Amino acid sequence: KVHQLSFEQRLPLIRNKVGRRLLEIVLKKQSNLIVAADVTTSQELLSIADEVGPQICVLKTHADIIQDWTDSVSEQLVHLAKLHHFLIFEDRKFADIGNTVELQLTGGIFHIAHWADIVNAHIIAGPGTIEALSRSAEHCGVLLLAQMSSKGSLTVPEYTQKALEMAKQYEDAVFGFISLGCIGEPNFLYFTPGVHLQERGDSLGQQYTDPETVIAVQGSDMAIVGRGIIQSSDRRKAASTYRKACWDAYLQRLGD
Ligand code: 6AU
């Protein structure tokens, strides 16, 4: 099912308010590009946020790979997010029982619930994981991992289907999926990682597809790009190239 509904048409169908806020940003900036800032120092993370900020709708973080994380890092990130008008997605991939997930979301040294607009979760442990996130992350939107980009992923069609069913039960919190394309209804958004304009994969099982295939052919909405931009010698220019490729692919899908 490839959606020919525009983001304008889908906005009122999204139940979660972070999801609607995201679509407002997407439309205003004409950007369905998410940058995955997989770097190990706060200085690199913040400079990437500042460099690519104007081109993106969401910055995706892995707080636990930053070696010098403090509350000040999240404060500066939130400042840059307001300045450049993007949302922050902490790619924590919660996967535990609800009680533990609640502690992981609010506690530790990261206090994810304080600064993240979006978090994601595996469905492997059942609905308790999502129940915990929907209870303690009131201002946070949730994405479920329905498929993965890596070689040998265990997300068989039945598993993907379960993710769709679980999302429907928690539609106030869950507004979309990590998936390889459009896998469900237009009231959810589809986020696809493993996007690169040059490479086909890496040595550890990542598999890449280009933006046009992911968005125009497979029907995904948002492209998540890490190394394709992060490892470029000119990140601003790379982000601008990817933004245009992803947006053109969205327009192409609407026109088909
Ligand atoms: O473009 P890359 O390969 O440098 O980075 C891809 C980013 C990484 C992964 O942690 C993440 O996307 N990712 C995810 C997410 C977003 O949940 C799921 C998946 O199946 N594959 C994947 O690469 O930050």
Side-chain angles (χ1 to χ4, degrees):
K1 281 178 265 177
V2 174
H3 294 309
Q4 292 189 322
L5 291 179
S6 67
F7 288 139
E8 283 95 338
Q9 289 168 310
R10 287 166 67 190
L11 197 149
L13 309 178
I14 312 274
R15 184 102 68 88
N16 176 269
K17 64 173 184 292
V18 178
R20 291 197 303 272
R21 193 145 59 86
L22 170 58
L23 280 188
E24 283 165 8
I25 293 173
V26 165
L27 287 165
K28 196 164 176 185
K29 294 174 88 170
Q30 302 205 332
S31 175
N32 51 347
L33 172 65
I34 297 173
V35 162
D38 288 6
V39 288
T40 55
T41 66
S42 61
Q43 198 200 328
E44 281 177 287
L45 173 65
L46 295 167
S47 66
I48 287 169
D50 200 30
E51 282 165 9
V52 307
Q55 304 290 334
I56 60 174
C57 57
V58 174
L59 183 79
K60 190 178 79 60
T61 56
H62 279 299
D64 60 359
I65 61 181
I66 303 292
Q67 65 198 31
D68 57 340
W69 185 272
T70 61
D71 286 341
S72 153
V73 179
S74 56
E75 281 160 22
Q76 293 174 74
L77 258 188
V78 168
H79 170 76
L80 289 168
K82 284 191 180 129
L83 183 72
H84 295 305
H85 211 47
F86 60 77
L87 299 184
I88 305 171
F89 168 16
E90 167 53 24
D91 185 3
R92 176 61 183 76
K93 296 187 178 69
F94 293 101
D96 217 318
I97 59 163
N99 185 64
T100 303
V101 162
E102 193 173 290
L103 295 167
Q104 290 170 325
L105 176 73
T106 56
I109 61 167
F110 299 116
H111 312 292
I112 295 167
H114 288 180
W115 50 269
D117 301 297
I118 303 168
V119 294
N120 53 356
H122 286 293
I123 59 160
I124 190 76
T129 309
I130 307 158
E131 177 72 34
L133 293 175
S134 70
R135 258 199 242 161
S136 34
E138 278 159 41
H139 64 277
C140 213
V142 179
L143 304 177
L144 299 184
L145 282 113
Q147 291 176 324
M148 291 196 73
S149 61
S150 41
K151 209 170 284 175
S153 161
L154 303 178
T155 55
V156 292
E158 291 78 3
Y159 185 91
T160 302
Q161 209 51 43
K162 289 288 177 197
L164 289 171
E165 286 167 26
M166 236 182 260
K168 282 179 194 155
Q169 283 168 31
Y170 290 95
E171 219 184 310
D172 286 329
V174 177
F175 70 94
F177 301 91
I178 301 293
S179 61
L180 303 180
C182 176
I183 51 163
E185 302 302 318
N187 53 323
F188 291 107
L189 297 172
Y190 304 91
F191 295 70
T192 304
V195 178
H196 205 299
L197 280 164
Q198 281 95 32
E199 305 290 328
R200 307 296 306 148
D202 68 11
S203 62
L204 291 171
Q206 177 66 298
Q207 304 176 112
Y208 287 123
T209 312
D210 61 274
E212 187 183 338
T213 306
V214 162
I215 295 167
V217 180
Q218 291 166 194
S220 185
D221 296 312
M222 315 286 162
I224 300 173
V225 180
R227 284 164 284 181
I229 290 172
I230 295 313
Q231 290 185 343
S232 163
S233 55
D234 188 344
R235 287 165 173 166
R236 282 175 214 271
K237 198 170 145 213
S240 161
T241 302
Y242 273 91
R243 186 208 61 81
K244 188 169 187 317
C246 296
W247 192 253
D248 287 349
Y250 160 69
L251 295 178
Q252 184 186 327
R253 187 179 88 204
L254 290 188
D256 277 348

